[in-house]
Amino acid sequence: MAFQQSVGTYRGVGQVGHPASTSPIIAAAGGPGAFKTASSGVTIGTFVFRDATDPKIVTNVAPAADSKAIGFIQDLGQATIDYGKSANMLIRGGVEVSPKVAGDFWVESKTVATVGQKVFASVTDGSIATDAAGATVTGHVETDWYVSQGAAVGDLVIISSWSKA
């Protein structure tokens, strides 16, 4: 790792997977130990789906192209940074997680995000794209979430289950 060469004068607006407001955050029903990550783990700041064989296992890969995402993975400090790495957003396999079904969160979108658009979850990795409600986004399924603060591709976006415009 190189020595730090500069210091920014402004703080970032948020971090992927972190709450973006003080609105209530609601987890998927199930109780303690209800959901665990698949052996491949899950990525923070993405959507997860129930495993096809065990509904208590969640994965970033949908069992079918039309599967509904069960929830969003909030950053609760569960990722493990491996030796020689400086960052990691992967929660390892077998760890208890609590997919969120409501709240306001910072995310990174693969598409330009505009306020009021719907959020779509990738069926191959749970990543996020945005488009108009009812649109067909190849390789993605529509979620119950909306864009409440838009941004360019790769910039931080706020998604919300509460604010629909």
Side-chain angles (χ1 to χ4, degrees), residues 28-156:
F35 301 106
K36 292 191 179 193
T37 59
S39 60
S40 58
V42 298
T43 303
I44 292 168
T46 63
F47 283 92
V48 292
F49 304 86
R50 289 184 192 268
D51 183 75
T53 57
D54 184 350
K56 292 188 174 202
I57 302 291
V58 294
T59 176
N60 286 128
V61 180
D66 61 348
S67 296
K68 182 173 173 57
I70 187 173
F72 175 81
I73 298 298
Q74 178 183 1
D75 186 355
L76 295 173
Q78 295 170 290
T80 305
I81 301 174
D82 296 330
Y83 180 75
K85 291 187 176 182
S86 59
N88 189 13
M89 296 295 276
L90 183 70
I91 300 173
R92 63 183 166 73
V95 173
E96 282 187 29
V97 291
S98 182
K100 304 304 185 253
V101 296
D104 298 328
F105 293 98
W106 291 101
V107 301
E108 187 175 324
S109 176
K110 298 188 298 186
T111 57
V112 174
T114 305
V115 173
Q117 287 183 319
K118 288 293 294 253
V119 174
F120 292 78
S122 169
V123 295
T124 57
D125 64 8
S127 62
I128 293 163
T130 62
D131 208 329
T136 299
V137 180
T138 304
H140 292 72
V141 291
E142 190 170 337
T143 69
D144 296 331
W145 298 68
Y146 289 82
V147 174
S148 66
Q149 178 177 307
V153 174
D155 286 343
L156 292 179

